[in-house]
Amino acid sequence: QKEVEQNSGPLSVPEGAIASLNCTYSDRGSQSFFWYRQYSGKSPELIMSIYSNGDKEDGRFTAQLNKASQYVSLLIRDSQPSDSATYLCAVNRGSSASKIIFGSGTRLSIRP
Amino acid sequence: GAGVSQSPRYKVAKRGQDVALRCDPISGHVSLFWYQQALGQGPEFLTYFQNEAQLDKSGLPSDRFFAERPEGSVSTLKIQRTQQEDSAVYLCASSFRQGYEQYFGPGTRLTVT
């Protein structure tokens, strides 16, 4: 079992709809959770961080964390073609606050 | 303000050559990380510095890989006797302190021929 699991996609969503990206993790001691966006040929760009259970909203993005279910999700409202990218879920190891483990990413495609 | 910078952006090395990759973190960021990213995969952790101290090097794939951050600012990742399997994008990230958000540089794409 991978430490951080994501569906590789591609996930195809029509423009204007809500895109829902999911991630599960195995380390119950994890405390820090991040979503990064990566365009092809570019480096990861931080979108959201979340540290406690519940929802955190920032503009069109909402991160959701459920530690009991070891589940993190990212919702993108009013999806735009520019949102087409790979989305990486990242989780710290409970035993090492510094060490971040990345999932393999979900490719998101927004169709006009 | 300035983000994380890396140089060179692209490096082609012949098998067996040594390479050095540089990372200049965001000013004031205590923590610095190196990752290796293969095509279609997420970044894989290599090593972590807090100031000049290398606190975790568990991800370095072999003793051919060596990283340093002698003055707690700029870091260098050195790969000795490069092999084809070392071909990847090497990413550097920094954060204000451990456990906080990491910000990535543009990466160095290494191709070993």
Side-chain angles (χ1 to χ4, degrees):
Chain A
Q1 182 192 9
K2 288 186 179 178
E3 291 188 67
V4 180
E5 298 223 41
Q6 297 181 254
N7 189 318
S8 62
L11 175 65
S12 182
V13 172
E15 185 174 356
I18 295 175
S20 178
L21 303 161
N22 304 314
C23 170
T24 57
Y25 61 95
S26 60
D27 188 339
R28 283 199 168 276
S30 296
Q31 297 293 325
S32 305
F33 307 86
F34 309 95
W35 282 100
Y36 286 83
R37 176 176 63 199
Q38 187 170 30
Y39 293 113
S40 181
K42 301 293 186 183
S43 61
E45 173 192 7
L46 180 69
I47 298 176
M48 295 282 287
S49 59
I50 187 166
Y51 302 95
S52 54
N53 276 329
D55 295 1
K56 179 181 177 183
E57 187 175 318
D58 184 0
R60 296 187 296 113
F61 299 97
T62 298
Q64 299 175 317
L65 174 61
N66 183 325
K67 288 185 180 180
S69 300
Q70 295 175 246
Y71 179 90
V72 195
S73 66
L74 179 71
L75 301 178
I76 306 174
R77 288 181 299 282
D78 187 24
S79 296
Q80 303 297 310
S82 59
D83 295 327
S84 297
T86 295
Y87 288 80
L88 298 164
C89 173
V91 178
N92 84 304
R93 279 237 182 103
S95 59
S96 168
S98 60
K99 194 164 185 174
I100 304 281
I101 306 299
F102 283 81
S104 296
T106 298
R107 273 196 301 133
L108 174 65
S109 176
I110 307 300
R111 56 182 190 272
Chain B
V4 179
S5 61
Q6 291 186 248
S7 62
R9 294 291 312 278
Y10 303 91
K11 177 70 179 177
V12 178
K14 290 188 177 177
R15 197 173 66 144
Q17 280 185 333
D18 297 350
V19 298
L21 313 180
R22 176 189 167 107
C23 172
D24 205 332
I26 294 171
S27 178
H29 277 196
V30 167
S31 301
L32 185 145
F33 306 81
W34 284 98
Y35 294 88
Q36 181 189 61
Q37 188 173 25
L39 195 63
Q41 299 297 315
E44 294 278 346
F45 173 86
L46 294 177
T47 187
Y48 156 63
F49 290 86
Q50 185 164 303
N51 294 308
E52 69 278 3
Q54 188 174 19
L55 298 186
D56 189 337
K57 53 182 182 179
S58 62
L60 296 176
S62 77
D63 59 7
R64 296 186 295 104
F65 287 70
F66 172 76
E68 60 183 5
R69 193 185 185 198
E71 297 178 1
S73 177
V74 170
S75 176
T76 304
L77 176 67
K78 297 179 179 177
I79 309 173
Q80 297 177 323
R81 304 181 304 281
T82 52
Q83 304 293 314
Q84 280 194 316
E85 62 263 28
D86 300 335
S87 296
V89 175
Y90 290 85
L91 295 164
C92 175
S94 70
S95 71
F96 179 64
R97 59 177 198 236
Q98 74 169 22
Y100 281 66
E101 296 90 348
Q102 295 183 20
Y103 297 90
F104 283 83
T108 295
R109 181 177 297 277
L110 173 65
T111 304
V112 182
T113 59

